[in-house]
Amino acid sequence: MTPNPFDRSSRPISSYSCRTLYSLAPLLLILAVWYGVAWIVTWLRGVPFPTPADTGMRLIDMLGGQPLLDRSIYTHTVASLLRWAVGFFAAATAGILFGMAAGWWRPVERIAMPSVHILQLVPGLAWIPVAILMFGIGEGATLFMIAITAFAPIAINVVNGVKRVDEMYVRAARMMGASNRMLFLRVLLPGALPHIVSGLRVGLGNGWRVLVAAEMIVGSGAGLGYAIIQSRWTLDYPGAFVCLVIICAVGLVVERLIFVPLERRTVERWGMQRAA
């Protein structure tokens, strides 16, 4: 029997199948490319290149307690997450406070914002010699690189958000006798919230990337980046690939499960979606 194109009873199933296929397609593409690269490298160079299956088996072993550089994969992951959280918290606090001040007071913006824009242009790894000279090898250098790299996008977005707050709301709050504290909490901060969330999202991603690179160079003891760079000495390339997979998974979870819903709710809450 020829299906009726106007019959809507089969459309939800078809739509669900399409969404499932599109959701799985990127993963399947990555796995196919990964297998292809592994086969080509192994054939051309004679070097065993870890496949997704090899990496998956190594991941299962590590999750079961097999150590990597005398430490569990949980220790390496938690160490990286703690550094990321501390460095990003420092950058977020400084970026939001500076951005609110520079967005509200014109002299602060004119004097300080050129320096922030210059910081935005400096790659994260370029701070390595500065970090080593200031803090040596260890935690301090890594935290400094995370904070300095995440600070600039947060500050720039907050400044733009404060400057875009409608002047009518500020005048109305003043006329109703709002103090500077109430003006900050009830007008400026909510008005700039969509831009603040965008800046935090960019800063968090920048901090995560520079964290892994910093751990490779100035890190010591534990961390995903440290484990990757140290695995070359033991030729434990499947272990290094496991760390890469965890790095991607952490970034994807934070991006998709935290910041995308938060940004969507913020935009919808403050009426920016309709304007877009």
Side-chain angles (χ1 to χ4, degrees):
M1 179 182 295
T2 304
N4 184 2
F6 299 100
D7 184 9
R8 298 185 178 183
S9 60
S10 61
R11 290 187 181 181
I13 298 178
S14 177
S15 177
Y16 177 78
S17 300
C18 290
R19 289 197 301 268
T20 303
L21 180 61
Y22 277 113
S23 300
L24 294 176
L27 177 61
L28 296 176
L29 178 61
I30 292 173
L31 293 177
V33 173
W34 188 348
Y35 270 111
V37 172
W39 182 83
I40 293 173
V41 172
T42 303
W43 180 64
L44 290 178
R45 302 192 58 203
V47 178
F49 193 98
T51 64
D54 298 332
T55 305
M57 293 301 297
R58 187 75 166 96
L59 175 60
I60 293 174
D61 292 338
M62 287 185 178
L63 294 178
Q66 189 178 87
L68 176 64
L69 301 175
D70 299 326
R71 297 176 185 268
S72 69
I73 192 62
Y74 303 105
T75 301
H76 289 296
T77 304
V78 170
S80 293
L81 290 177
L82 288 177
R83 294 185 186 113
W84 188 28
V86 173
F88 175 72
F89 178 78
T93 303
I96 292 174
L97 293 178
F98 171 83
M100 299 297 292
W104 183 247
W105 288 294
R106 180 66 174 172
V108 177
E109 180 189 7
R110 296 184 63 180
I111 295 173
M113 280 306 294
S115 301
V116 177
H117 285 290
I118 292 175
L119 292 179
Q120 175 82 345
L121 300 176
V122 179
L125 290 180
W127 293 106
I128 289 176
V130 179
I132 293 176
L133 288 174
M134 293 177 63
F135 301 98
I137 301 294
E139 297 291 328
T142 304
L143 296 178
F144 168 78
M145 291 178 62
I146 297 170
I148 197 69
T149 305
F151 168 78
I154 297 174
I156 292 173
N157 276 274
V158 174
V159 170
N160 292 334
V162 174
K163 293 175 66 175
R164 289 178 180 271
V165 174
D166 197 331
E167 185 67 23
M168 292 180 58
Y169 297 143
V170 178
R171 293 178 180 176
R174 292 290 193 190
M175 291 177 61
M176 290 186 292
S179 62
N180 290 332
R181 179 174 177 272
M182 295 298 295
L183 183 65
F184 174 82
L185 294 177
R186 297 296 181 88
V187 179
L188 297 182
L189 190 60
L193 193 57
H195 292 82
I196 293 176
V197 173
S198 297
L200 293 176
R201 184 179 181 183
V202 176
L204 194 69
N206 290 354
W208 182 239
R209 287 191 294 270
V210 78
L211 160 69
V212 176
E215 287 180 339
M216 290 182 177
I217 300 173
V218 299
S220 60
L224 295 173
Y226 175 80
I228 290 174
I229 201 65
Q230 293 299 321
S231 295
R232 62 179 176 174
W233 303 115
T234 59
L235 301 180
D236 185 10
Y237 292 108
F241 274 56
V242 167
C243 294
L244 287 173
V245 170
I246 294 176
I247 290 169
C248 295
V250 170
L252 191 62
V253 166
V254 173
E255 172 73 13
R256 296 297 181 183
L257 299 185
I258 298 178
F259 269 99
V260 169
L262 179 62
E263 190 173 43
R264 185 184 300 116
R265 291 180 182 180
T266 302
V267 169
E268 292 175 354
R269 170 67 178 83
W270 297 105
M272 299 294 292
Q273 190 177 27
R274 186 178 298 109

